[in-house]
Amino acid sequence: MDQLPPDVEEDDCLPDYRHLFCPDLLQGKVAFITGGGSGIGFRIAEIFMRHGCRTVIVSRSLPRVLMAAKKLTAATGQRCLPLSMDVRAPAAIMAAVDQALKEFGKIDILINCAAGNFLCPASALSFNAFKTVVEIDTIGTFNVSRVLYEKFFQDHGGVIVNITATLSLRGQVLQVHAGCAKAAVDAMTRHLAVEWGPQNIRVNSLAPGPISGTEGLRRLGGPQARLSKMVLESPLQRMGNKTEIAHSVLYLASPLASYVTGIVLVVDGGCWLTFPNDIKQLMNLESTSAKL
Ligand code: HXC
Ligand code: NAP
């Protein structure tokens, strides 16, 4: 039986860490991580830094990324540049990438992890709500990838990992906005892998399942009892943790995956195969309000 890697619920670094991969796997590399100030993105930054990587973490909230960078540097001894930026704003992305290049001289890895989501029945979803999620998840991923390509990757190669989801594989209730947005990102992964492969740019998606200690789970997990039952009936009978996701992203971003491009790596303990698509839940929620 595999030993579960350690994790902590909050956006804090791990008190102890035992390397499974070679500790200098990303030595000398620089990673640009959107959504790197919290949840899964924070742990990705930490695990990368524990493998020798310097990081740029970006999100809308400057206090959030400032605080995160402080913790990450203290725990790992690596440099971390925190920047405020909205993935929907191309001019702000260009400025942030310029600043990152000025600071580190290069960017090797892009992790598109920023996203927005909430539970809402399609019939109650406002036009702007659907658009907002697509703008953050899909268009945001394109915007940042496009800027990184133009400013660095086209001449030097690079690696992109897009954090997506399994929502659209079976058509999850209350998730038409996020399911469509993430499915489009998986399509983008394949398109860009084909188009940018000749310039030595690898592009992959990683689709997590339910991950403990995250905003995603808090927003989308639903009633605790129902979630526990679904998880217990899934193949590995447990939720994943942020460290497990970060280890899989590390694999995709590292030279261990040098011949891997255009794939969607599902890291969900098999949950998408067995989670029930509970229509009754939709009926209950529809009778409440639009904002759930
Ligand atoms: C219905 C909602 C809503 C809700 C907002 N809206 N929240 N509709 N239910 N709970 C509607 C608003 O009414 C508005 O439409 C439109 O969405 C835009 O809302 P704003 O608040 O103006 O948007 P913005 O400030 O840009 O914020 C984006 C956000 C917000 C997505 C709405 O929640 C956010 O910033 N989230 C970031 C963090 C996050 O979501 N983390 C979880 C990621 S987990 P109207 O018509 O009123 O103008 C994840 C997991 C995927 O992605 C897979 C899991 C298995
Ligand atoms: P999270 O902590 O809320 O991460 C989302 C991050 O994106 C936040 O740091 C947020 O910071 C940033 N962000 C949101 N909108 C942004 C914007 N417009 N511009 C720039 N940054 C923005 O949630 P999480 O659960 O860890 O999710 C991380 C990723 O994993 C997401 O892509 C999500 O879809 C995916 N995922 C999660 C789960 C899960 O179980 N948690 C399952 C499947 C997939 P600011 O608010 O400061 O901008």
Side-chain angles (χ1 to χ4, degrees):
M1 188 62 192
D2 299 325
Q3 207 186 340
L4 198 62
D7 200 27
V8 289
E9 286 281 308
E10 301 73 28
D11 292 332
D12 286 319
C13 293
L14 304 168
D16 301 304
Y17 184 72
R18 186 172 67 86
H19 286 86
L20 298 172
F21 292 109
C22 174
D24 64 0
L25 190 58
L26 295 184
Q27 196 66 47
K29 305 278 187 203
V30 178
F32 190 97
I33 305 172
T34 72
S38 67
I40 290 171
F42 177 87
R43 188 70 73 240
I44 293 170
E46 176 186 349
I47 296 298
F48 277 24
M49 291 166 78
R50 289 187 185 278
H51 289 81
C53 195
R54 289 162 289 165
T55 57
V56 185
I57 56 170
V58 301
S59 81
R60 293 165 299 178
S61 163
L62 186 60
R64 166 177 266 178
V65 286
L66 280 172
M67 171 66 77
K70 225 172 162 181
K71 292 179 185 176
L72 290 164
T73 299
T76 67
Q78 291 289 343
R79 282 165 68 200
C80 174
L81 175 67
L83 296 174
S84 164
M85 181 199 99
D86 191 319
V87 296
R88 294 168 285 189
I93 301 167
M94 288 181 207
V97 171
D98 283 341
Q99 210 174 327
L101 288 172
K102 198 168 160 213
E103 179 84 8
F104 293 122
K106 64 169 188 167
I107 296 168
D108 304 285
I109 299 163
L110 165 62
I111 309 297
N112 284 305
C113 189
N117 200 1
F118 42 79
L119 293 175
C120 190
S123 56
L125 196 61
S126 76
F127 299 116
N128 190 40
F130 187 93
K131 184 171 161 229
T132 297
V133 172
V134 170
E135 275 178 349
I136 299 172
D137 294 21
T138 314
I139 301 178
T141 295
F142 177 75
N143 290 344
V144 184
S145 304
R146 167 80 172 72
V147 171
L148 247 303
Y149 176 82
E150 186 181 328
K151 289 193 180 283
F152 203 74
F153 286 177
Q154 67 174 329
D155 295 324
H156 303 88
V159 185
I160 301 175
V161 181
N162 297 322
I163 308 302
T164 61
T166 59
L167 298 166
S168 71
L169 297 181
R170 294 194 309 149
Q172 188 70 38
V173 294
L174 312 177
Q175 285 285 269
V176 64
H177 42 307
C180 291
K182 296 291 197 181
V185 176
D186 286 340
M188 198 186 310
T189 288
R190 290 183 284 272
H191 286 284
L192 296 182
V194 170
E195 197 164 322
W196 291 349
Q199 280 142 298
N200 199 23
I201 300 168
R202 294 193 294 109
V203 189
N204 292 297
S205 284
L206 184 142
I211 305 304
S212 59
T214 63
E215 182 63 21
L217 195 75
R218 284 186 281 275
R219 286 180 181 228
L220 311 173
Q224 189 54 47
R226 183 178 162 274
L227 179 68
S228 306
K229 184 169 181 293
M230 291 190 328
V231 166
L232 278 174
E233 288 170 359
S234 69
L236 295 188
Q237 305 179 338
R238 64 173 179 84
M239 271 187 257
N241 73 34
K242 291 172 286 189
T243 308
E244 291 180 295
I245 298 302
H247 281 162
S248 296
V249 178
L250 175 62
Y251 158 73
L252 281 179
S254 80
L256 288 166
S258 53
Y259 200 49
V260 180
T261 198
I263 66 154
V264 180
L265 180 60
V266 176
V267 185
D268 78 334
C271 282
W272 83 271
L273 297 166
T274 58
F275 265 29
N277 212 347
D278 194 346
I279 304 294
K280 272 196 219 130
Q281 185 197 22
L282 173 63
M283 309 299 267
N284 291 339
L285 290 171
E286 234 175 353
S287 62
T288 58
S289 74
K291 285 213 174 185
L292 302 166

